[in-house]
């Protein structure tokens, strides 16, 4: 029998029972579609987190007080009582060749007021270098002045939201605001830039680190951000930081250095595992669709018993009947897969309209895997009914029993 | 040319062994026209199934155009069936989703014959039966007589040696029955061996020879017409 005739015969028989065919196509389409949409969501989450991390800055290392015993990227949960990180520790790091910039960070929360308006926000104490290290951008004015970090000037840079809350559309630059009980002059406003790892960079005030320390009456730092000279010098910088701090802390390793790469690859791994898990769950629906195809093909074989008997009487060998039924099963699963792919792309498009910021895309491996598995299950589950059809006894089959 | 020699067929029904055919001998040559009659369970259908290579005898030999079919494998039997045997059934057995022309074309499609040749042969098979204007109708749009004549066209499209008709008029009214029988006889007159199983004595008498069967054996073969 010619291949085009087998194809046409299969097509005619699946289009001969439209409702049954549509049900099967629906099952297959849902299976394929859900695998693709769910992997796209998982992949999107991974990309989202990755891009959040890269927004932090390039070649970034974070120095935290306290030592975690475990190695890896996680911040310390349990640790010894650490010695505080001080501003001098931070300044000592700048002398290393592998380190480009250092931004010490002191954090606290305080009320910020302008005339009658007051707002409780996070106050970030840092230096001039925070701007390049965190890749912040200004919409107005200047950032903190360079100079001796131990000298705290009474100047502040406001986040975009804070500026709007305090000043509405009025001019903020040059105005004096009050943070807690001290007066600061506004010298710049940050550009609006969404959430960054949970910290809303628009609802903060940035002041010189020394001013922050005196405001919160502390000498310790929340953390130190370090920018390595290049990607290759990150491990070297990490070693240098540990060595320098340990020298300054009487030989005790009491800080943790997190590299951005380590964080990134950890999250990458987590989200890949997550994606695989949801894809696996969705794959169950593909298997269910396959079983449904088998079920319906078995019904088709028993409903078409007399037709199979006729084909045998007309001189069709068992092998040919096997091929005919396998062709039907694969046509069904192939069309189901195509509809599923369409549904998946449609669904992704819809989600993109709803959440434009979330990076969604179907990974090519998910696309190929879903379609291959769909056709594979169709064929696999088509074999049993097809074999049953091929093995039918023509006399019994013709009698319609 | 067909020759049966000592054909026996047994079925196991529960503990009992039923002898559906018992040592049947039969010889048919080109242009023969036989009717097979007998009560239910006399072995008519079993004989037809064995002649049609749908069933295998337990004993005996069956030559079809000098091929010893009893020694053939299933695949080869299917090929012999396709090329040398035509079937006409009481229930027509047309494929409901295919048109009349496609039903007639089906054996050639299964045999892998070139589509262009198939169309020509379908045309020349439907024309003498007066079914050309019905070629694109599906079976449910045809009358019983038309359906059976489409089935006859399908059975003879591969130019078989023998045509086996199992109660071909069983589902038809008188007028359609005559049409169908005349169509069969027309084909027989061109050399096709025709074997009709029937309950209808009138149709049985039309055949040149009548075979009476009882309990799995041929008890009488008579010539009806000179």
């Amino acid at each position: 029998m010619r291949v085009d005739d087998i194809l046409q015969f299969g097509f005619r028989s699946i289009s001969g029972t439209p409702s049954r065919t549509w049900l099967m196509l629906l099952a297959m389409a849902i299976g394929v579609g859900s695998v693709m949409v769910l992997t796209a969501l998982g992949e999107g989450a991974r990309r989202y987190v990755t891009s959040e991390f890269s927004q932090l800055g390039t070649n970034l290392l974070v120095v935290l007080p306290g030592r975690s015993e475990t190695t890896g990227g996680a911040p310390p949960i349990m640790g010894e009582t650490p010695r505080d990180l001080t501003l001098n520790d931070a300044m000592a790091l700048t002398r290393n060749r592998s380190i480009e910039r250092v931004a010490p960070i002191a954090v606290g929360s305080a009320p910020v007021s302008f005339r009658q308006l007051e707002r409780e926000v996070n106050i970030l104490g840092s230096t001039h270098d925070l701007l390049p290290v965190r890749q912040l951008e200004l919409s107005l004015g200047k950032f903190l002045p360079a100079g001796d970090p131990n000298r705290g000037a009474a100047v502040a840079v406001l986040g975009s939201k804070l500026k709007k809350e305090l000043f509405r559309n009025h001019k903020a630059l040059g105005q004096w605001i009050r943070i807690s009980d001290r007066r600061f002059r506004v010298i710049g406003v940050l550009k609006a830039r969404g959430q960054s790892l949970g910290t809303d960079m628009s609802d903060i005030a940035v002041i010189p680190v020394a001013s922050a320390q005196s405001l919160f009456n502390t000498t310790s730092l929340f953390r130190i951000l370090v920018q390595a000279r290049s990607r290759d010098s990150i491990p070297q910088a990490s070693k240098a930081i540990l060595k320098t701090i340990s020298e300054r802390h009487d030989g005790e390793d009491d800080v943790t250095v997190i590299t951005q790469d380590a964080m990134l690859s950890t999250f990458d791994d987590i989200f890949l595992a997550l994606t695989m898990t949801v894809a696996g769950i969705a794959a169950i629906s593909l298997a269910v669709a396959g079983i449904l195809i088998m079920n319906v093909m078995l019904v088709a074989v028993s409903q078409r018993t007399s037709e199979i008997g006729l084909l045998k009487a007309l001189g069709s060998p068992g092998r040919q009947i096997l091929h005919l039924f396998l062709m039907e099963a694969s046509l069904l699963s192939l069309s189901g897969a195509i509809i599923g792919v369409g549904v998946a792309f449609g669904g992704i498009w819809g989600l993109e309209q709803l959440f434009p910021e979330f990076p969604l895309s179907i990974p090519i491996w998910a696309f190929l895997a879903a379609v291959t598995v769909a056709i594979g299950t169709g064929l696999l589950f088509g074999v049993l009914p097809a074999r049953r059809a091929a093995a039918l006894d023509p006399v019994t089959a013709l009698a319609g029993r | 040319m067909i020759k049966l020699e000592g054909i026996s067929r047994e079925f196991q029904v529960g503990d009992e062994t039923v002898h559906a055919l018992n040592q049947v001998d039969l010889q048919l040559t080109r242009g023969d026209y036989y009717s097979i009659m007998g009560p239910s369970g006399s072995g008519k259908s079993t004989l037809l199934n064995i002649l049609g290579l749908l069933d295998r005898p337990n004993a005996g030999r069956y030559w079809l155009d000098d091929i010893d079919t009893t020694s053939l494998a299933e695949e080869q039997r299917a090929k012999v069936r396709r090329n040398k045997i035509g079937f006409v059934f009481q229930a027509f057995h047309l494929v409901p989703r295919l048109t009349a022309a496609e039903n007639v074309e089906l054996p050639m499609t299964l045999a892998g014959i070139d589509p262009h040749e198939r169309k020509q042969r379908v045309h020349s098979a439907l024309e003498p039966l007066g079914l050309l204007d019905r070629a694109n109708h599906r079976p449910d749009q045809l009358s019983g007589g038309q359906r059976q004549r489409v089935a006859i066209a399908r059975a003879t499209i591969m130019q078989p040696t023998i045509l086996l008709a199992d109660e071909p008029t069983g589902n038809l009214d008188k007028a359609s029955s005559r049409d169908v029988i005349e169509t069969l006889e027309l084909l027989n007159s061109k050399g096709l061996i025709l074997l009709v199983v029937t309950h209808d004595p009138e149709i049985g008498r039309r055949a040149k020879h009548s075979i009476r069967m009882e309990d799995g054996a041929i008890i009488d073969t008579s010539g009806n017409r000179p």
Side-chain angles (χ1 to χ4, degrees):
Chain A
M1 197 166 171
R2 297 157 57 100
V3 175
D4 55 339
D5 286 329
I6 297 181
L7 247 172
Q8 208 200 351
F9 191 89
F11 182 74
R12 292 292 288 265
S13 54
I14 62 172
S15 55
T17 50
S19 57
R20 192 164 73 196
T21 301
W22 279 115
L23 274 177
M24 261 202 282
L25 292 184
L26 185 69
M28 201 35 116
I30 288 174
V32 173
S34 58
V35 167
M36 289 177 62
V37 169
L38 287 177
T39 41
L41 284 174
E43 184 74 6
R46 191 178 71 82
R47 288 191 189 192
Y48 180 70
V49 169
T50 310
S51 77
E52 283 286 288
F53 267 95
S54 54
Q55 263 187 30
L56 274 179
T58 47
N59 307 331
L60 197 69
L61 295 98
V62 182
V63 185
L64 305 161
R67 177 87 202 143
S68 71
E69 291 303 316
T70 50
T71 52
I77 298 163
M78 311 260 288
E80 308 152 21
T81 313
R83 212 170 295 226
D84 288 339
L85 276 176
T86 64
L87 201 47
N88 287 334
D89 289 336
M91 291 307 104
L93 295 179
T94 55
R95 289 191 282 274
N96 196 284
R97 271 195 312 118
S98 56
I99 290 170
E100 172 100 33
R101 292 190 186 91
V102 172
I105 290 181
V107 171
S109 161
V112 177
S113 60
F114 176 70
R115 293 187 185 146
Q116 285 80 25
L117 295 169
E118 188 177 274
R119 192 172 169 79
E120 182 92 12
V121 295
N122 284 329
I123 310 295
L124 207 66
S126 193
T127 60
H128 178 73
D129 279 343
L130 182 69
L131 191 74
V133 169
R134 280 295 305 268
Q135 296 186 328
L136 299 174
E137 280 174 86
L138 289 168
S139 63
L140 286 171
K142 293 179 305 211
F143 199 65
L144 301 175
D148 182 5
N150 284 304
R151 244 192 89 246
V155 292
V157 176
L158 305 183
S160 57
K161 183 176 174 193
L162 179 61
K163 185 258 162 188
K164 211 170 196 168
E165 294 290 338
L166 291 182
F167 295 96
R168 309 277 166 219
N169 292 325
H170 300 297
K171 185 170 169 262
L173 287 186
Q175 301 283 0
W176 287 87
I177 56 168
R178 195 171 276 280
I179 300 179
S180 200
D181 55 351
R182 293 163 195 240
R183 277 154 50 84
F184 289 83
R185 194 161 60 87
V186 178
I187 57 166
V189 177
L190 291 174
K191 219 175 225 176
R193 191 185 76 174
Q195 288 260 322
S196 174
L197 273 186
T199 315
D200 187 354
M201 289 298 283
S202 65
D203 205 11
I204 55 159
V206 185
I207 60 175
V209 63
S211 307
Q213 283 183 324
S214 86
L215 188 69
F216 299 121
N217 194 21
T218 174
T219 55
S220 66
L221 294 175
F222 175 59
R223 57 187 58 171
I224 304 172
L225 300 181
V226 177
Q227 188 176 30
R229 206 163 281 277
S230 68
R231 200 182 165 80
D232 296 334
S233 54
I234 290 175
Q236 213 180 327
S238 171
K239 259 182 238 147
I241 293 166
L242 287 172
K243 185 160 170 279
T244 311
I245 303 283
S246 143
E247 274 166 9
R248 294 179 55 85
H249 289 186
D250 305 330
E252 291 221 25
D253 277 339
D254 56 0
V255 292
T256 302
V257 177
I258 301 170
T259 63
Q260 197 184 3
D261 278 5
M263 290 192 280
L264 264 180
S265 69
T266 306
F267 275 94
D268 231 32
D269 290 351
I270 291 172
F271 276 94
L272 192 65
L274 191 80
T275 307
M276 299 302 262
T277 311
V278 287
I281 293 168
I284 293 173
S285 62
L286 259 184
V288 172
I291 291 169
L292 189 75
I293 285 198
M294 172 163 75
N295 210 336
V296 176
M297 290 303 292
L298 282 174
V299 172
V301 167
S302 57
Q303 279 186 348
R304 278 158 58 189
T305 308
S306 68
E307 181 189 322
I308 296 162
L310 170 78
L311 291 178
K312 292 203 159 185
L314 295 180
S316 190
R319 201 169 31 83
Q320 193 173 54
I321 289 168
L322 186 83
H323 290 166
L324 286 174
F325 275 83
L326 275 183
M327 176 59 83
E328 265 181 54
S330 37
L331 272 178
L332 276 171
S333 47
L334 184 68
S335 349
I338 290 171
I339 295 174
V341 168
V343 166
F345 278 106
I348 297 287
W349 183 83
L351 285 172
E352 269 171 353
Q353 304 306 304
L354 286 174
F355 310 103
E357 278 169 32
F358 196 69
L360 274 173
S361 75
I362 296 167
I364 188 80
W365 61 265
F367 171 76
L368 292 176
V371 173
T372 318
V373 170
I375 295 166
T377 43
L379 274 178
L380 184 74
F381 289 110
V383 166
L384 180 68
R387 287 178 67 134
R388 178 169 294 188
L392 277 178
D393 172 47
V395 176
T396 333
L398 276 169
R401 277 173 287 177
Chain B
M1 167 71 180
I2 281 172
K3 196 174 164 196
L4 298 186
E5 221 175 68
I7 294 284
S8 292
R9 180 73 171 105
E10 297 163 0
F11 294 102
Q12 205 70 35
V13 182
D15 296 337
E16 241 180 303
T17 305
V18 178
H19 296 273
L21 283 181
N22 209 347
Q23 295 287 327
V24 171
D25 301 315
L26 189 64
Q27 196 156 343
L28 306 170
T29 47
R30 200 180 134 80
D32 272 353
Y33 176 14
Y34 278 79
S35 65
I36 305 178
M37 300 186 72
S40 297
S42 60
K44 307 186 299 283
S45 294
T46 310
L47 178 61
L48 211 63
N49 289 334
I50 283 176
L51 280 169
L53 295 179
L54 293 174
D55 200 0
R56 280 174 184 271
N58 295 98
R61 319 216 88 183
Y62 168 18
W63 286 272
L64 173 55
D65 285 350
D66 298 325
I67 304 166
D68 182 4
T69 63
T70 32
S71 63
L72 293 179
E74 197 48 54
E75 192 110 338
Q76 292 160 305
R77 283 159 58 88
K79 203 174 162 197
V80 172
R81 196 153 62 218
R82 178 208 288 160
N83 293 320
K84 298 196 179 292
I85 300 167
F87 290 96
V88 174
F89 307 97
Q90 178 176 0
F92 319 133
H93 281 304
L94 297 176
V95 181
R97 59 179 180 277
L98 301 180
T99 64
E102 284 165 334
N103 266 292
V104 175
E105 194 182 345
L106 190 56
M108 294 188 287
T109 311
L110 294 173
I113 290 171
D114 178 72
H116 187 67
E117 190 192 335
R118 291 192 325 230
K119 297 277 177 280
Q120 283 182 335
R121 277 167 72 174
V122 168
H123 184 91
S124 48
L126 290 178
E127 198 174 21
L129 300 182
L131 288 168
L132 267 187
D133 56 333
R134 295 277 160 195
N136 292 320
H137 290 220
R138 281 203 316 273
D140 55 6
Q141 298 164 315
L142 300 175
S143 74
Q146 286 169 335
R147 286 186 214 184
Q148 195 60 298
R149 279 183 290 146
V150 169
I152 292 169
R154 181 181 64 192
T156 51
I157 196 80
M158 296 297 285
Q159 287 150 357
T161 309
I162 181 168
L163 186 65
L164 303 168
D166 191 357
E167 300 276 5
T169 58
N171 284 1
L172 299 176
D173 59 35
K174 265 242 151 12
S176 305
S177 292
R178 198 177 332 96
D179 275 357
V180 164
I181 286 295
E182 277 167 5
T183 306
L184 289 173
E185 286 169 357
L186 178 76
L187 292 161
N188 169 248
S189 68
K190 290 174 186 161
L192 181 72
I193 301 175
L194 178 60
L195 212 67
V196 182
V197 169
T198 183
H199 273 115
D200 186 341
E202 197 179 317
I203 288 170
R205 272 194 300 276
R206 289 178 68 115
K208 291 171 199 156
H209 304 279
S210 271
I211 296 175
R212 274 206 67 80
M213 289 190 74
E214 231 164 73
D215 292 333
I218 295 176
I219 54 165
D220 180 35
T221 307
S222 59
N224 291 328
R225 279 180 286 176

